[in-house]
Amino acid sequence: MKSILVAYDKNNGIGADNDLLWGRDLPADLAHFKTLTMGKSIVMGRKTFESIGRALPGRQNIVVSRSGYAAPEGVLVVPSLEAAYDAADNDVAIIGGGQIYEHALKDIDIIYATEVDAEFPQATVFFPEISQEIWLETSRERHEADERNKYAYEFVTYASTPQIETPPVVH
């Protein structure tokens, strides 16, 4: 199975200056991310890996880079998403960034989204619009801001709907 894990604001903004828009002000999202990715093959672009700064333990870390990026030990570098899928030992979780999300969207079974109830005008990277013709919302869990999480947010799961082919017309 292939999934996307993404957090975005009200305008689908996911990042700026190679970091999350809300910084570390949503620890519940980071915990949710860890739960959903543990034991999986996580696939990311080079910039996303550099923003994390290290291999995430308990997961196969795969970085997609066309430039032959020299990643640290324990991180597999591949030239394409297809190569990442082929190299994956487990279920695949695409974790960013923007270009990787855009290219992977057609291959994905599930989107695990954290919808942050805020707007960040500094956003420079965005998640593509989720088409309701292709994606069906299967769950939504709202959380209000609290002493640990600066913003209200919702954990939302979208499943891809089967694409129905139109049968040929017989005359």
Side-chain angles (χ1 to χ4, degrees):
M1 177 176 326
K2 295 180 186 93
S3 61
I4 280 179
L5 278 84
V6 62
Y8 49 77
D9 74 356
K10 288 181 175 186
N11 299 313
N12 283 17
I14 60 174
D17 298 323
N18 215 22
D19 200 3
L20 297 171
L21 296 171
W22 39 90
R24 302 299 172 253
D25 289 334
L26 278 175
D29 177 55
L30 297 175
H32 185 64
F33 172 89
K34 183 177 181 179
T35 298
L36 290 172
T37 60
M38 194 56 68
K40 293 187 179 176
S41 298
I42 55 173
V43 176
M44 68 202 93
R46 176 190 53 80
K47 289 181 184 178
T48 297
F49 178 75
E50 288 175 345
S51 74
I52 295 169
R54 63 184 175 89
L56 295 177
R59 292 151 274 207
Q60 179 189 24
N61 289 251
I62 303 173
V63 173
V64 177
S65 174
R66 291 181 298 257
S67 66
Y69 177 68
E73 188 175 329
V75 177
L76 179 62
V77 178
V78 296
S80 67
L81 263 176
E82 291 72 26
Y85 299 151
D86 290 343
D89 292 338
N90 306 294
D91 286 348
V92 171
I94 306 292
I95 64 167
Q99 289 181 340
I100 299 291
Y101 285 143
E102 197 169 319
H103 293 298
L105 207 50
K106 67 182 178 355
D107 304 322
I108 299 303
D109 305 299
I110 295 176
I111 299 172
Y112 297 105
T114 300
E115 297 181 352
V116 181
D117 193 7
E119 293 183 31
F120 296 86
Q122 73 271 27
T124 56
V125 181
F126 297 85
F127 190 74
E129 198 66 38
I130 296 175
S131 168
Q132 293 184 1
E133 294 176 10
I134 299 171
W135 297 98
L136 175 68
E137 182 180 313
T138 59
S139 70
R140 181 174 292 268
E141 183 182 314
R142 176 135 179 106
H143 299 271
E144 298 301 328
D146 59 29
E147 63 280 348
R148 295 196 63 226
N149 296 281
K150 186 174 178 180
Y151 306 98
Y153 58 94
E154 294 178 288
F155 294 140
V156 186
T157 303
Y158 296 95
S160 64
T161 58
Q163 299 304 303
I164 300 169
E165 291 188 31
T166 308
V169 176
V170 178
H171 296 284

Short mmCIF file of all heavy atoms in Angstrom, two decimals, residues 45-95:
data_model
loop_
_atom_site.label_atom_id
_atom_site.label_comp_id
_atom_site.label_asym_id
_atom_site.label_seq_id
_atom_site.Cartn_x
_atom_site.Cartn_y
_atom_site.Cartn_z
N GLY A 45 11.83 13.76 -0.78
CA GLY A 45 12.81 14.45 -1.59
C GLY A 45 14.00 14.87 -0.75
O GLY A 45 13.97 14.84 0.48
N ARG A 46 15.05 15.28 -1.44
CA ARG A 46 16.29 15.69 -0.76
C ARG A 46 16.07 16.84 0.21
O ARG A 46 16.57 16.83 1.33
CB ARG A 46 17.35 16.06 -1.80
CG ARG A 46 18.64 16.59 -1.18
CD ARG A 46 19.59 17.17 -2.21
NE ARG A 46 18.99 18.17 -3.07
CZ ARG A 46 18.80 19.46 -2.73
NH1 ARG A 46 19.15 19.89 -1.55
NH2 ARG A 46 18.26 20.31 -3.58
N LYS A 47 15.32 17.87 -0.22
CA LYS A 47 15.11 19.02 0.66
C LYS A 47 14.35 18.63 1.92
O LYS A 47 14.66 19.13 3.01
CB LYS A 47 14.37 20.13 -0.08
CG LYS A 47 15.20 20.83 -1.13
CD LYS A 47 14.40 21.92 -1.80
CE LYS A 47 15.16 22.57 -2.93
NZ LYS A 47 14.35 23.60 -3.61
N THR A 48 13.39 17.74 1.78
CA THR A 48 12.66 17.28 2.97
C THR A 48 13.61 16.55 3.91
O THR A 48 13.60 16.78 5.12
CB THR A 48 11.47 16.38 2.57
OG1 THR A 48 10.56 17.17 1.80
CG2 THR A 48 10.76 15.81 3.79
N PHE A 49 14.45 15.67 3.34
CA PHE A 49 15.41 14.97 4.18
C PHE A 49 16.32 15.95 4.90
O PHE A 49 16.58 15.82 6.10
CB PHE A 49 16.24 13.97 3.37
CG PHE A 49 17.26 13.28 4.22
CD1 PHE A 49 16.88 12.29 5.11
CD2 PHE A 49 18.59 13.66 4.18
CE1 PHE A 49 17.82 11.68 5.94
CE2 PHE A 49 19.54 13.06 5.00
CZ PHE A 49 19.14 12.07 5.88
N GLU A 50 16.83 16.94 4.16
CA GLU A 50 17.72 17.92 4.78
C GLU A 50 17.02 18.71 5.88
O GLU A 50 17.64 19.08 6.87
CB GLU A 50 18.31 18.84 3.72
CG GLU A 50 19.33 18.15 2.85
CD GLU A 50 19.84 19.00 1.69
OE1 GLU A 50 19.22 20.04 1.37
OE2 GLU A 50 20.87 18.61 1.11
N SER A 51 15.72 18.99 5.71
CA SER A 51 15.00 19.73 6.74
C SER A 51 14.83 18.88 8.01
O SER A 51 14.82 19.40 9.11
CB SER A 51 13.65 20.22 6.23
OG SER A 51 12.73 19.15 6.12
N ILE A 52 14.71 17.55 7.84
CA ILE A 52 14.62 16.65 8.99
C ILE A 52 16.00 16.53 9.64
O ILE A 52 16.12 16.50 10.86
CB ILE A 52 14.08 15.27 8.57
CG1 ILE A 52 12.63 15.41 8.09
CG2 ILE A 52 14.17 14.27 9.72
CD1 ILE A 52 12.08 14.17 7.40
N GLY A 53 17.03 16.42 8.80
CA GLY A 53 18.40 16.45 9.30
C GLY A 53 19.00 15.12 9.68
O GLY A 53 20.17 15.05 10.04
N ARG A 54 18.22 14.04 9.62
CA ARG A 54 18.74 12.73 10.01
C ARG A 54 17.77 11.66 9.53
O ARG A 54 16.62 11.95 9.20
CB ARG A 54 18.87 12.63 11.53
CG ARG A 54 17.54 12.76 12.25
CD ARG A 54 17.68 12.77 13.76
NE ARG A 54 16.40 13.01 14.39
CZ ARG A 54 15.54 12.08 14.74
NH1 ARG A 54 15.79 10.82 14.50
NH2 ARG A 54 14.40 12.39 15.34
N ALA A 55 18.24 10.42 9.52
CA ALA A 55 17.36 9.31 9.20
C ALA A 55 16.39 9.11 10.37
O ALA A 55 16.79 9.23 11.54
CB ALA A 55 18.17 8.04 8.97
N LEU A 56 15.14 8.86 10.07
CA LEU A 56 14.16 8.62 11.13
C LEU A 56 14.21 7.15 11.53
O LEU A 56 14.08 6.26 10.68
CB LEU A 56 12.76 9.01 10.65
CG LEU A 56 12.58 10.50 10.36
CD1 LEU A 56 11.18 10.79 9.83
CD2 LEU A 56 12.85 11.33 11.60
N PRO A 57 14.41 6.88 12.82
CA PRO A 57 14.57 5.50 13.27
C PRO A 57 13.28 4.70 13.13
O PRO A 57 12.18 5.24 13.15
CB PRO A 57 14.96 5.65 14.75
CG PRO A 57 14.53 7.02 15.14
CD PRO A 57 14.52 7.86 13.91
N GLY A 58 13.45 3.38 12.96
CA GLY A 58 12.30 2.47 12.89
C GLY A 58 11.60 2.48 11.55
O GLY A 58 10.52 1.92 11.39
N ARG A 59 12.23 3.14 10.56
CA ARG A 59 11.66 3.24 9.21
C ARG A 59 12.77 3.12 8.19
O ARG A 59 13.90 3.57 8.44
CB ARG A 59 10.96 4.59 9.04
CG ARG A 59 9.70 4.70 9.89
CD ARG A 59 9.44 6.14 10.25
NE ARG A 59 10.19 6.49 11.45
CZ ARG A 59 9.84 7.44 12.31
NH1 ARG A 59 8.76 8.16 12.09
NH2 ARG A 59 10.57 7.69 13.36
N GLN A 60 12.46 2.56 7.03
CA GLN A 60 13.40 2.59 5.93
C GLN A 60 13.33 3.97 5.30
O GLN A 60 12.27 4.39 4.85
CB GLN A 60 13.04 1.51 4.89
CG GLN A 60 13.99 1.51 3.71
CD GLN A 60 13.52 0.60 2.58
OE1 GLN A 60 12.34 0.30 2.44
NE2 GLN A 60 14.47 0.16 1.76
N ASN A 61 14.42 4.71 5.31
CA ASN A 61 14.47 6.08 4.78
C ASN A 61 14.96 6.05 3.34
O ASN A 61 16.09 5.61 3.07
CB ASN A 61 15.42 6.92 5.62
CG ASN A 61 14.86 7.23 7.01
OD1 ASN A 61 14.49 8.37 7.28
ND2 ASN A 61 14.80 6.22 7.87
N ILE A 62 14.13 6.53 2.42
CA ILE A 62 14.48 6.58 1.00
C ILE A 62 14.37 8.02 0.54
O ILE A 62 13.32 8.66 0.70
CB ILE A 62 13.55 5.68 0.16
CG1 ILE A 62 13.60 4.23 0.67
CG2 ILE A 62 13.94 5.75 -1.32
CD1 ILE A 62 12.59 3.30 0.01
N VAL A 63 15.45 8.53 -0.05
CA VAL A 63 15.49 9.89 -0.56
C VAL A 63 15.54 9.84 -2.08
O VAL A 63 16.38 9.14 -2.65
CB VAL A 63 16.71 10.66 -0.01
CG1 VAL A 63 16.85 12.03 -0.67
CG2 VAL A 63 16.61 10.81 1.51
N VAL A 64 14.63 10.58 -2.71
CA VAL A 64 14.62 10.69 -4.17
C VAL A 64 15.43 11.92 -4.55
O VAL A 64 15.14 13.03 -4.11
CB VAL A 64 13.17 10.81 -4.71
CG1 VAL A 64 13.19 10.99 -6.23
CG2 VAL A 64 12.34 9.59 -4.31
N SER A 65 16.49 11.69 -5.35
CA SER A 65 17.34 12.78 -5.81
C SER A 65 17.92 12.43 -7.17
O SER A 65 18.52 11.37 -7.33
CB SER A 65 18.46 13.03 -4.81
OG SER A 65 19.36 14.00 -5.32
N ARG A 66 17.72 13.31 -8.11
CA ARG A 66 18.27 13.09 -9.45
C ARG A 66 19.76 13.44 -9.50
O ARG A 66 20.45 13.09 -10.45
CB ARG A 66 17.51 13.93 -10.48
CG ARG A 66 16.09 13.47 -10.69
CD ARG A 66 15.40 14.33 -11.72
NE ARG A 66 15.31 15.72 -11.32
CZ ARG A 66 14.23 16.30 -10.85
NH1 ARG A 66 13.12 15.63 -10.73
NH2 ARG A 66 14.23 17.57 -10.51
N SER A 67 20.27 14.12 -8.49
CA SER A 67 21.66 14.60 -8.55
C SER A 67 22.66 13.69 -7.86
O SER A 67 23.81 14.06 -7.69
CB SER A 67 21.73 15.99 -7.91
OG SER A 67 21.45 15.91 -6.53
N GLY A 68 22.25 12.50 -7.44
CA GLY A 68 23.19 11.61 -6.78
C GLY A 68 23.61 12.10 -5.42
O GLY A 68 24.76 12.02 -5.04
N TYR A 69 22.68 12.64 -4.67
CA TYR A 69 22.89 13.16 -3.32
C TYR A 69 23.62 12.14 -2.44
O TYR A 69 23.28 10.96 -2.44
CB TYR A 69 21.52 13.52 -2.74
CG TYR A 69 21.52 14.00 -1.33
CD1 TYR A 69 22.08 15.23 -0.99
CD2 TYR A 69 20.93 13.26 -0.32
CE1 TYR A 69 22.06 15.69 0.31
CE2 TYR A 69 20.90 13.71 0.99
CZ TYR A 69 21.47 14.92 1.29
OH TYR A 69 21.45 15.37 2.57
N ALA A 70 24.60 12.60 -1.69
CA ALA A 70 25.35 11.74 -0.78
C ALA A 70 24.71 11.80 0.60
O ALA A 70 25.03 12.66 1.41
CB ALA A 70 26.81 12.18 -0.72
N ALA A 71 23.81 10.89 0.85
CA ALA A 71 23.10 10.85 2.14
C ALA A 71 23.92 10.07 3.16
O ALA A 71 24.79 9.28 2.80
CB ALA A 71 21.74 10.20 1.96
N PRO A 72 23.62 10.29 4.43
CA PRO A 72 24.35 9.55 5.47
C PRO A 72 24.01 8.05 5.44
O PRO A 72 23.04 7.63 4.82
CB PRO A 72 23.87 10.20 6.77
CG PRO A 72 22.63 10.92 6.44
CD PRO A 72 22.66 11.23 4.98
N GLU A 73 24.82 7.29 6.15
CA GLU A 73 24.60 5.85 6.25
C GLU A 73 23.19 5.57 6.77
O GLU A 73 22.68 6.28 7.63
CB GLU A 73 25.64 5.24 7.21
CG GLU A 73 25.63 3.74 7.22
CD GLU A 73 26.73 3.16 8.08
OE1 GLU A 73 27.81 3.79 8.17
OE2 GLU A 73 26.51 2.09 8.64
N GLY A 74 22.57 4.54 6.23
CA GLY A 74 21.22 4.17 6.65
C GLY A 74 20.13 4.84 5.84
O GLY A 74 18.95 4.62 6.09
N VAL A 75 20.52 5.65 4.86
CA VAL A 75 19.56 6.32 3.99
C VAL A 75 19.84 5.89 2.56
O VAL A 75 20.96 6.01 2.08
CB VAL A 75 19.67 7.86 4.10
CG1 VAL A 75 18.71 8.54 3.14
CG2 VAL A 75 19.39 8.31 5.54
N LEU A 76 18.82 5.37 1.90
CA LEU A 76 18.94 4.93 0.53
C LEU A 76 18.58 6.09 -0.39
O LEU A 76 17.55 6.73 -0.21
CB LEU A 76 18.00 3.75 0.28
CG LEU A 76 17.96 3.16 -1.12
CD1 LEU A 76 19.33 2.60 -1.50
CD2 LEU A 76 16.90 2.08 -1.19
N VAL A 77 19.43 6.38 -1.37
CA VAL A 77 19.16 7.44 -2.35
C VAL A 77 18.85 6.77 -3.68
O VAL A 77 19.59 5.89 -4.14
CB VAL A 77 20.36 8.40 -2.50
CG1 VAL A 77 20.08 9.46 -3.55
CG2 VAL A 77 20.68 9.05 -1.16
N VAL A 78 17.73 7.18 -4.29
CA VAL A 78 17.30 6.64 -5.58
C VAL A 78 17.00 7.80 -6.53
O VAL A 78 16.71 8.91 -6.07
CB VAL A 78 16.06 5.72 -5.42
CG1 VAL A 78 16.39 4.49 -4.57
CG2 VAL A 78 14.89 6.48 -4.81
N PRO A 79 17.03 7.54 -7.84
CA PRO A 79 16.86 8.64 -8.80
C PRO A 79 15.41 9.00 -9.14
O PRO A 79 15.18 10.01 -9.79
CB PRO A 79 17.59 8.13 -10.05
CG PRO A 79 17.46 6.64 -9.95
CD PRO A 79 17.50 6.32 -8.49
N SER A 80 14.44 8.17 -8.72
CA SER A 80 13.05 8.43 -9.11
C SER A 80 12.07 7.82 -8.11
O SER A 80 12.45 6.95 -7.31
CB SER A 80 12.77 7.83 -10.50
OG SER A 80 12.82 6.41 -10.42
N LEU A 81 10.83 8.25 -8.19
CA LEU A 81 9.79 7.66 -7.35
C LEU A 81 9.63 6.17 -7.65
O LEU A 81 9.46 5.36 -6.74
CB LEU A 81 8.45 8.36 -7.59
CG LEU A 81 8.06 9.44 -6.61
CD1 LEU A 81 6.76 10.10 -7.03
CD2 LEU A 81 7.96 8.91 -5.20
N GLU A 82 9.66 5.81 -8.93
CA GLU A 82 9.51 4.41 -9.32
C GLU A 82 10.61 3.57 -8.68
O GLU A 82 10.36 2.46 -8.19
CB GLU A 82 9.53 4.28 -10.84
CG GLU A 82 8.30 4.85 -11.53
CD GLU A 82 8.24 6.39 -11.51
OE1 GLU A 82 9.30 7.07 -11.42
OE2 GLU A 82 7.11 6.92 -11.57
N ALA A 83 11.84 4.08 -8.67
CA ALA A 83 12.94 3.37 -8.04
C ALA A 83 12.72 3.27 -6.54
O ALA A 83 13.07 2.25 -5.92
CB ALA A 83 14.27 4.07 -8.35
N ALA A 84 12.13 4.29 -5.93
CA ALA A 84 11.82 4.25 -4.50
C ALA A 84 10.79 3.16 -4.22
O ALA A 84 10.94 2.40 -3.25
CB ALA A 84 11.30 5.60 -4.03
N TYR A 85 9.76 3.08 -5.04
CA TYR A 85 8.75 2.03 -4.86
C TYR A 85 9.39 0.65 -4.97
O TYR A 85 9.11 -0.25 -4.18
CB TYR A 85 7.63 2.15 -5.89
CG TYR A 85 6.84 3.44 -5.87
CD1 TYR A 85 6.27 3.94 -7.03
CD2 TYR A 85 6.66 4.17 -4.69
CE1 TYR A 85 5.53 5.11 -7.02
CE2 TYR A 85 5.94 5.35 -4.68
CZ TYR A 85 5.37 5.82 -5.86
OH TYR A 85 4.65 6.98 -5.85
N ASP A 86 10.27 0.48 -5.96
CA ASP A 86 10.94 -0.81 -6.16
C ASP A 86 11.85 -1.16 -4.99
O ASP A 86 12.00 -2.34 -4.64
CB ASP A 86 11.76 -0.79 -7.46
CG ASP A 86 10.89 -0.78 -8.71
OD1 ASP A 86 9.68 -1.10 -8.62
OD2 ASP A 86 11.42 -0.42 -9.78
N ALA A 87 12.47 -0.17 -4.39
CA ALA A 87 13.42 -0.40 -3.30
C ALA A 87 12.76 -0.58 -1.94
O ALA A 87 13.39 -1.05 -0.99
CB ALA A 87 14.41 0.77 -3.22
N ALA A 88 11.49 -0.22 -1.83
CA ALA A 88 10.80 -0.24 -0.54
C ALA A 88 10.67 -1.66 0.00
O ALA A 88 10.28 -2.58 -0.72
CB ALA A 88 9.43 0.41 -0.67
N ASP A 89 10.98 -1.80 1.28
CA ASP A 89 10.85 -3.09 1.97
C ASP A 89 9.45 -3.31 2.54
O ASP A 89 9.10 -4.42 2.88
CB ASP A 89 11.85 -3.17 3.14
CG ASP A 89 13.29 -3.23 2.68
OD1 ASP A 89 13.54 -3.62 1.52
OD2 ASP A 89 14.18 -2.88 3.49
N ASN A 90 8.70 -2.23 2.70
CA ASN A 90 7.41 -2.29 3.39
C ASN A 90 6.41 -1.41 2.66
O ASN A 90 6.69 -0.92 1.57
CB ASN A 90 7.57 -1.75 4.83
CG ASN A 90 8.66 -2.46 5.60
OD1 ASN A 90 8.53 -3.63 5.88
ND2 ASN A 90 9.75 -1.77 5.90
N ASP A 91 5.27 -1.16 3.32
CA ASP A 91 4.33 -0.18 2.80
C ASP A 91 5.05 1.15 2.65
O ASP A 91 5.91 1.49 3.47
CB ASP A 91 3.13 -0.01 3.74
CG ASP A 91 2.17 -1.19 3.69
OD1 ASP A 91 2.28 -2.04 2.78
OD2 ASP A 91 1.29 -1.26 4.57
N VAL A 92 4.68 1.90 1.64
CA VAL A 92 5.34 3.17 1.34
C VAL A 92 4.53 4.33 1.89
O VAL A 92 3.32 4.40 1.71
CB VAL A 92 5.50 3.33 -0.20
CG1 VAL A 92 6.00 4.73 -0.55
CG2 VAL A 92 6.45 2.28 -0.75
N ALA A 93 5.22 5.24 2.56
CA ALA A 93 4.62 6.49 3.04
C ALA A 93 5.42 7.64 2.42
O ALA A 93 6.60 7.81 2.72
CB ALA A 93 4.65 6.57 4.56
N ILE A 94 4.77 8.40 1.56
CA ILE A 94 5.39 9.56 0.94
C ILE A 94 5.26 10.71 1.93
O ILE A 94 4.16 11.04 2.37
CB ILE A 94 4.69 9.94 -0.39
CG1 ILE A 94 4.62 8.76 -1.34
CG2 ILE A 94 5.35 11.16 -1.02
CD1 ILE A 94 5.91 8.29 -1.91
N ILE A 95 6.40 11.35 2.28
CA ILE A 95 6.34 12.38 3.33
C ILE A 95 6.78 13.76 2.85
O ILE A 95 6.94 14.67 3.67
CB ILE A 95 7.13 11.94 4.58
CG1 ILE A 95 8.62 11.80 4.30
CG2 ILE A 95 6.56 10.64 5.14
CD1 ILE A 95 9.48 11.69 5.56
#
